[in-house]
Amino acid sequence: MMRNRFLLGVGLVSLGAFSSSCSKEPAPPESPPPAAAAAPAPAPAPAPEEPPKPKMSYAKLVSFFRPSAAVKAATPEDTAAQIALGRLLFFENRLSKNHDISCNSCHDLATFGVDGKPTSEGHKGQKGTRNAPTVFHAAGHIAQFWDGRAATLEEQASGPMMNPVEMAMPGEKHVLATLNSIPQYVKAFKESFPKEKKAVSVGNAARAIAAFERKLITTSRFDKFLAGDESALTEQERRGLELFAAAGCTTCHNGPSVGGTSFQKLGLIEEYPTGDKGRFEVTKNEEDLHKFRVPTLRNVEKTGPWFHDGSVTELPQAVRLMARHQLGMTFSDAEVDDIVAFLKSLTGELPGPEVLAPPSLPPSTRTTPKPDPT
């Protein structure tokens, strides 16, 4: 019993000594409070991104717009008399059944050769199914009309006269009766086609109109650029031209008229929503389904609405749609701005009033067929 108490006492003393030695160890130094984190230095403002500098050579750029072998090189030698007669006939309302429509009605020369409508109005207000393209620079096209159904300007000029939706003349006899009833026209035809026994004809009327239309050319700053003046385009316009070429737009829009040299499928990469079968209606060839003659981009800023159906009313939208459906590409807003800037450099100066102003037409006679609204 005493031994047990002794051992218990030794144990308690030992435990007390252990506890005492622990309490006498110096306490670990307190960690200093964490220093406040320094605020990160503000990142330097990014330098404004500069547009890429021009890279394509001048020689390469102008090469896309040389005359194309696809467009017939032979041009008739038009005389001054033929051109003057053609101007009268271009503005002549009496070549329409109701004496209210002329070539200029749909191809207004004062507004860059278009009427600004999706589709034009013809006899009795009837509307066509396609947009009326500009007549300026049409002489440089491989064919006329969106579907190319007229191979020449001459063929194109005679077509609307007898088209029931357009000028609606009952037939060639009615056209000839009108022209032969006006002495000034008979004289003008004889002066224009002196070697022909029957100078007054529908064919010669179309020949004269075509002679006048071959003079419908505008000159723009882009022409100065093509002629060697590299400063004629701004830096943005030059960027737009380079992108236009690098992206592949010049595959279709090439030659002096920046288009008009080929037929191309609308929706080459991504299908374009249209029920218009295009050139297929002329050839019945499946390969021509949805193909259209490529339009000129000369004065394109002024010739909207655009596309074969006149459905596009904003030029930037036209650029985006062409990139998507023809190239399978998406341009940034800045790239679209650059291309549009280039396209605007294609706007030329219109001719003077000697071409644009409606001329004084010779008066009718008692034998001239009367207007027919039916």
Side-chain angles (χ1 to χ4, degrees):
M1 181 70 174
M2 291 294 293
R3 177 179 175 82
N4 289 340
R5 287 181 180 176
F6 173 76
L7 292 175
L8 177 60
V10 172
L12 289 174
V13 170
S14 300
L15 182 59
F18 178 81
S19 298
S20 175
S21 67
C22 286
S23 63
K24 287 182 180 180
E25 278 191 357
E30 294 185 6
S31 300
E49 185 176 347
E50 292 187 5
K53 298 293 183 183
K55 296 179 180 178
M56 196 174 291
S57 72
Y58 171 79
K60 180 66 173 178
L61 288 173
V62 299
S63 69
F64 296 114
F65 306 102
R66 294 181 181 133
S68 170
V71 178
K72 298 178 179 62
T75 301
E77 295 182 5
D78 303 319
T79 66
Q82 290 168 348
I83 294 169
L85 173 59
R87 179 173 175 242
L88 292 175
L89 297 177
F90 190 88
F91 286 91
E92 182 55 82
N93 288 335
R94 287 166 294 187
L95 291 179
S96 66
K97 185 178 182 181
N98 197 36
H99 296 191
D100 57 355
I101 298 172
S102 69
C103 300
N104 195 67
S105 298
C106 302
H107 305 282
D108 191 343
L109 300 185
T111 54
F112 289 87
V114 298
D115 60 6
K117 301 175 182 178
T119 55
S120 302
E121 295 178 359
H123 184 61
K124 297 195 297 184
Q126 299 176 89
K127 290 188 176 183
T129 58
R130 293 177 180 151
N131 178 258
T134 178
V135 288
F136 281 97
H137 297 273
H141 293 169
I142 191 173
Q144 305 301 315
F145 296 112
W146 283 99
D147 56 15
R149 64 183 181 274
T152 63
L153 282 175
E154 286 79 0
E155 288 183 39
Q156 186 278 328
S158 62
M161 295 182 199
M162 271 73 75
N163 188 313
V165 176
E166 297 182 59
M167 300 171 83
M169 288 294 258
E172 289 194 11
K173 288 184 179 180
H174 200 84
V175 175
L176 295 178
T178 299
L179 294 173
N180 281 313
S181 72
I182 302 173
Q184 289 93 326
Y185 273 136
V186 174
K187 180 183 177 182
F189 270 89
K190 288 180 179 179
E191 290 174 348
S192 298
F193 305 98
K195 296 181 180 181
E196 299 188 23
K197 291 184 178 179
K198 293 184 178 181
V200 181
S201 68
V202 172
N204 283 345
R207 172 77 175 80
I209 293 172
F212 172 65
E213 290 182 342
R214 274 187 277 275
K215 299 300 180 182
L216 299 178
I217 301 294
T218 61
T219 302
S220 66
R221 285 187 295 110
F222 184 61
D223 292 291
K224 295 180 181 179
F225 179 82
L226 294 180
D229 182 3
E230 292 193 55
S231 67
L233 298 185
T234 67
E235 185 173 307
Q236 183 185 27
E237 291 165 349
R238 176 76 175 255
R239 285 199 312 269
L241 170 57
E242 289 197 7
L243 178 57
F244 185 85
C249 303
T250 50
T251 302
C252 303
H253 293 285
N254 52 50
S257 296
V258 197
T261 61
S262 65
F263 296 95
Q264 298 291 339
K265 181 180 179 180
L266 181 61
L268 182 63
I269 303 300
E270 180 179 327
E271 185 177 356
Y272 188 87
T274 179
D276 193 325
K277 296 182 179 180
R279 188 157 173 74
F280 172 82
E281 297 288 2
V282 177
T283 67
K284 305 305 178 184
N285 186 338
E286 288 291 334
E287 292 184 359
D288 289 331
L289 191 62
H290 303 310
K291 278 189 178 181
F292 297 90
R293 191 211 64 220
V294 176
T296 175
L297 294 184
R298 292 281 187 165
N299 306 306
V300 66
E301 172 193 10
K302 303 292 186 180
T303 56
W306 298 278
F307 292 15
H308 66 286
D309 53 2
S311 61
V312 179
T313 59
E314 300 293 336
L315 193 52
Q317 180 191 13
V319 171
R320 289 187 174 92
L321 287 173
M322 285 291 94
R324 173 183 168 188
H325 291 280
Q326 302 306 108
L327 303 172
M329 299 176 67
T330 300
F331 291 142
S332 69
D333 290 346
E335 289 173 328
V336 171
D337 288 345
D338 287 351
I339 291 179
V340 169
F342 159 63
L343 294 178
K344 289 183 177 180
S345 78
L346 301 175
T347 300
E349 295 182 9
L350 288 172
E354 70 280 0
V355 173
L356 301 184
S360 297
L361 300 175
S364 297
T365 65
R366 61 180 181 83
T367 61
T368 303
K370 298 294 187 287
D372 183 356
T374 62

